[in-house]
């Protein structure tokens, strides 16, 4: 498995919802979904000799900036590696 370094996070994008809670079917969107699941987390950034702890953990669902991170393919799966500061919310 890929192990992120420093303040980086390995995420896998979640599929966009195709229906609303009330059952309305939505048109397929070509936009990149912005919600992802955290797969692996680095140990945290080191600033002035101190490790800054990570705010996210494995299995968190996060919202990322639209074009954030670096896409990687590993064992047939697509992942994105982002810095923690590119994550907008948990």
């Amino acid at each position: 498995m890929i192990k992120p370094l420093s303040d980086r996070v390995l995420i896998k994008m979640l599929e966009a919802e195709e229906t609303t809670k009330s059952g309305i079917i939505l048109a397929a969107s070509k936009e990149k979904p912005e919600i992802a699941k955290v797969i692996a987390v680095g140990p945290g950034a080191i600033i002035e000799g101190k490790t800054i702890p990570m705010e996210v953990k494995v299995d968190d669902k996060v919202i990322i900036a639209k074009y954030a991170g670096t896409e990687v393919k590993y064992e047939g799966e697509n992942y994105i590696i982002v810095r923690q500061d590119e994550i907008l919310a948990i």
Side-chain angles (χ1 to χ4, degrees), residues 8-22:
R8 290 178 178 84
V9 179
L10 180 70
I11 60 175
K12 183 168 180 63
M13 299 309 294
L14 298 176
E15 296 296 319
E17 294 291 324
E18 294 183 11
T19 59
T20 64
K21 289 181 182 180
S22 61

Side-chain angles (χ1 to χ4, degrees), residues 13-85:
M13 299 309 294
L14 298 176
E15 296 296 319
E17 294 291 324
E18 294 183 11
T19 59
T20 64
K21 289 181 182 180
S22 61
I24 297 172
I25 298 173
L26 303 173
S29 173
K30 303 255 189 246
E31 292 293 318
K32 176 180 172 183
E34 297 173 17
I35 299 176
K37 181 179 177 183
V38 175
I39 305 299
V41 178
I46 298 176
I47 299 176
E48 296 180 10
K50 294 183 179 180
T51 301
I52 307 301
M54 298 295 282
E55 295 182 36
V56 297
K57 62 186 182 311
V58 174
D59 290 332
D60 278 350
K61 287 185 180 175
V62 296
I63 299 172
I64 63 166
K66 192 168 197 166
Y67 299 105
T70 302
E71 294 183 18
V72 294
K73 190 168 189 168
Y74 179 74
E75 295 184 354
E77 295 285 331
N78 293 320
Y79 299 98
I80 298 176
I81 298 174
V82 296
R83 287 189 173 274
Q84 181 170 252
D85 63 1

